[in-house]
Amino acid sequence: MTDKREKMRLLGLAFAGADLVFEIDDAGVITFVLGAVEQITGKSDADLVGQGWGKLFASSEEPTLRAALEALRPGKRNGPVRMALASGEGRRLQRFADLSLFRLPQNPPRVSCSLSIGGAGHGRPARDARGLVPANDFNAVAEASINQGELGPLDLIELKGLARVLSQLDPSAAGDLQQRLSSLLRLASRDGVGAVEVADEKFAMLGQSAVSLEELGDRLAAAAGPGVSSEHARLDFSTGEPQTALKAMRFALDRFLTAGPTVVAQGFAAVMSDTVRQVTEFRRTLDERSFKLVYQPIVAIGSDRLHHFEALARFDGESSPADSIRLAEELDLIIEFDMAVIDTVCDVLARAAKPVMIAANISAISLLQPAVRAHLQRAAHMGQKIRRGLLLEITETKAFSDLALASRAIGALRDMGFAVCIDDFGAGSASLDYLRHFEVDFVKIDGRFISQLGERRDAAVLRHVVALCADLGVKTIAEGVETKEVAEAARALGVDYGQGWHFGKPTATPEWTSASAASSGPLLARRRGEVEQWG
């Protein structure tokens, strides 16, 4: 009776963490199965016993199953690894399950297995023909993991000599070897996400602390064959905030492109420490509002009448804001920064002795956040002086992947009473798509186009863009107007407003007269939002 009760207890514990438990021999033949067999497979347990365990999974998982058995040592556990299940009759959606394996030393040659069912496609990145994760998918999974607080290690592995070995094999054998290596990496990765190829012979993956990286390296080198050696490093993100970990991960992957794992690891601790310091200092800058805003006039071309100002951020005295703003973008602090700037502009508008309009930059990322729009709604409730005075200039529009969603967000701002401008507008297809989808009040033409107005072809293209905006009732602003000649060229094209040192330098307060304009000078650094990073 005691033995029976003990067995029931063990079964209960097994099913508490799995939907199906089964046992296989070294050949992968199912010798025992118990649990939601029919629900998962559409077959009875009697039908499965004696079948290969590959029948449970999609055919694409065969290399991973083979590698899982080969790599499993007595007393060791593999998994959980997210696997695609075999498609049952009448099922259209691909289903997935987490597979775990354990080889009990007292029960050779059997392997104990468990399956826990997940949703359709849940948490499983795409894989290429070699079984590796594409760079963009890996970045997305890694960043999601870090943002959710799962600050596990990042493993870097270099298989020196692998390219030479692959070049000596026929295509079929080379493909088989790549599949085997990617399967071994996948089994050792966190949640079975898999590895990404950073460069030739170099792989990165979200690691598991319980997995010995040295043993994995030896296993990979042995699988690749003579002449291949492994160098590896494990980078620990567990001590930092998500923003710190993200920046450190990007640094590590960028550095791994040209350096070995050991060299990357040597500089990693310093980067983590420096990033923690940068996050702390930037947050203090926002909390204490220790940045400054300067105001550059936007003027009606032809009449030289002031229309509005743009608020431009300054950090550390009179230094360019470019580096600080890029840092905010890299550390995912741009939303906090945008709201701090908007609050400062609202304070200036509220204290202004006479009506004035000021444009505040808001990144596309910030615009799509419901909390930011709620913040702006509260600002709109401060009164007509704020609603009429605050113009929202949307930057980094490359972040718009869903134009319909962005259009609704822009519409919400205009419904609050704010005018909206699209920044860095060009002649490309993306800008034309914005005109088609977004109802805005202004577009600001990228200074790179304005500076090339002397080129006949550029001027012709820009003339048509300006005419299209006029037909749609959208006013145009030319940025980077530094000379009288450029101002005249912009006026000839029909551009409505201009911004640049020809009309006026940025000043500490939003005050302007035409006499303050300068004939020439450099353009103040402005937001671009383009961050170079691996992947």
Side-chain angles (χ1 to χ4, degrees):
M1 181 65 72
T2 302
D3 288 345
K4 184 176 181 180
R5 187 181 297 116
E6 195 65 26
K7 289 179 180 178
M8 290 300 102
R9 178 179 294 167
L10 291 174
L11 279 175
L13 291 171
F15 284 123
D19 297 292
L20 181 70
V21 292
F22 61 98
E23 188 179 74
I24 59 174
D25 61 21
D26 272 344
V29 175
I30 298 173
T31 58
F32 171 81
V33 62
L34 194 64
V37 180
E38 191 166 347
Q39 177 187 348
I40 295 172
T41 68
K43 300 178 181 179
S44 69
D45 51 359
D47 291 333
L48 281 181
V49 172
Q51 298 289 319
W53 70 327
K55 298 283 187 181
L56 296 171
F57 304 97
S59 58
S60 59
E61 301 289 19
E62 192 275 333
T64 301
L65 294 175
R66 187 170 62 247
L69 274 184
E70 292 175 358
L72 192 61
R73 301 289 182 264
K76 298 294 184 179
R77 182 175 185 265
N78 267 346
V81 182
R82 181 136 298 219
M83 306 284 284
L85 295 175
S87 299
E89 292 184 9
R91 289 198 178 103
R92 294 183 179 180
L93 290 178
Q94 177 68 68
R95 295 185 306 154
F96 296 87
D98 291 326
L99 171 67
S100 296
L101 297 84
F102 180 71
R103 191 184 291 275
L104 189 66
Q106 295 85 353
N107 189 30
R110 302 290 192 250
V111 175
S112 303
C113 308
S114 69
L115 277 180
S116 298
I117 303 301
H122 170 69
R124 187 178 189 268
R127 304 188 195 286
D128 63 21
R130 301 166 298 170
L132 295 169
V133 181
N136 287 340
D137 285 35
F138 181 82
N139 282 343
V141 171
E143 292 189 13
S145 177
I146 289 172
N147 284 326
Q148 291 167 10
E150 299 173 5
L151 304 178
L154 177 72
D155 290 343
L156 306 179
I157 301 167
E158 182 174 7
L159 296 177
K160 298 177 180 179
L162 177 61
R164 179 185 55 78
V165 169
L166 290 172
S167 68
Q168 294 172 349
L169 298 174
D170 63 68
S172 177
D176 288 344
L177 175 55
Q178 289 174 319
Q179 283 277 2
R180 186 179 183 192
L181 294 175
S182 66
S183 294
L184 289 171
L185 289 166
R186 181 181 170 193
L187 289 165
S189 66
R190 194 186 324 158
D191 298 326
V193 166
V196 63
E197 185 178 41
V198 178
D200 284 346
E201 303 183 342
K202 294 181 177 181
F203 305 89
M205 67 181 188
L206 302 179
Q208 302 183 74
S209 299
V211 173
S212 167
L213 197 53
E214 187 168 350
E215 288 183 10
L216 174 62
D218 291 343
R219 197 175 301 139
L220 290 165
V228 176
S229 61
S230 169
E231 181 185 340
H232 42 77
R234 174 162 287 168
L235 310 182
D236 183 14
F237 292 96
S238 61
T239 58
E241 293 185 1
Q243 295 96 333
T244 306
L246 282 172
K247 185 178 182 186
M249 183 190 77
R250 291 167 186 153
F251 162 83
L253 293 173
D254 284 341
R255 190 77 177 92
F256 194 30
L257 287 168
T258 56
T262 304
V263 173
V264 175
Q266 289 170 348
F268 178 74
V271 170
M272 284 289 285
S273 175
D274 188 54
T275 304
V276 169
R277 178 188 58 78
Q278 290 175 327
V279 169
T280 302
E281 289 180 357
F282 197 87
R283 281 226 169 97
R284 184 183 301 118
T285 296
L286 297 184
D287 292 341
E288 298 175 356
R289 296 290 194 270
S290 56
F291 62 87
K292 289 170 50 180
L293 294 182
V294 293
Y295 303 88
Q296 188 167 31
I298 285 81
V299 176
I301 296 180
S303 69
D304 281 357
R305 292 176 62 87
L306 174 71
H307 185 266
H308 68 276
F309 294 91
E310 181 183 5
L312 301 168
R314 294 278 202 168
F315 297 84
D316 298 326
E318 296 301 312
S319 64
S320 165
D323 290 341
S324 294
I325 290 173
R326 174 171 174 170
L327 176 66
E329 291 165 348
E330 287 187 350
L331 299 178
D332 288 337
L333 296 173
I334 195 66
I335 295 171
E336 297 174 48
F337 175 63
D338 283 345
M339 289 197 290
V341 169
I342 288 169
D343 286 347
T344 304
V345 170
C346 287
D347 289 344
V348 171
L349 290 171
R351 295 195 308 268
K354 56 184 180 180
V356 63
M357 179 182 283
I358 302 175
N361 289 163
I362 177 172
S363 69
I365 294 171
S366 296
L367 173 66
L368 297 178
Q369 304 301 313
V372 173
R373 296 199 296 275
H375 192 82
L376 287 166
Q377 183 70 70
R378 290 191 291 272
H381 289 158
M382 293 170 65
Q384 193 175 72
K385 201 173 184 181
I386 302 299
R387 290 193 297 274
R388 289 188 175 181
L390 179 60
L391 189 160
L392 295 167
E393 190 167 313
I394 303 172
T395 65
E396 294 97 46
T397 51
K398 288 182 179 180
F400 285 145
S401 57
D402 186 335
L403 295 186
L405 178 64
S407 178
R408 290 194 294 272
I410 290 171
L413 300 187
R414 299 183 82 229
D415 289 343
M416 295 175 198
F418 299 120
V420 176
C421 175
I422 295 291
D423 193 20
D424 294 333
F425 194 83
S429 59
S431 292
L432 297 179
D433 275 345
Y434 296 157
L435 279 182
R436 189 162 63 90
H437 285 87
F438 303 158
E439 290 190 24
V440 297
D441 303 280
F442 304 90
V443 296
K444 181 174 285 186
I445 301 168
D446 195 317
R448 289 172 291 185
F449 291 100
I450 298 301
S451 65
Q452 296 171 0
L453 285 181
E455 301 292 332
R456 181 179 176 184
R457 184 178 295 273
D458 290 325
V461 171
L462 200 54
R463 182 182 296 108
H464 287 290
V465 171
V466 171
L468 177 59
C469 288
D471 287 344
L472 295 172
V474 178
K475 297 295 185 181
T476 50
I477 303 170
E479 72 173 8
V481 180
E482 312 299 352
T483 66
K484 180 179 179 180
E485 291 74 22
V486 173
E488 286 297 325
R491 184 189 62 78
L493 292 177
V495 177
D496 298 295
Y497 303 102
Q499 176 182 8
W501 277 42
H502 173 68
F503 297 110
K505 300 178 181 180
T507 56
T509 57
E511 298 174 358
W512 175 86
T513 63
S514 58
S516 68
S519 60
S520 64
L523 180 66
L524 187 70
R526 301 182 69 256
R527 287 167 65 162
R528 291 292 178 196
E530 297 177 11
V531 180
E532 295 179 4
Q533 64 180 41
W534 173 84

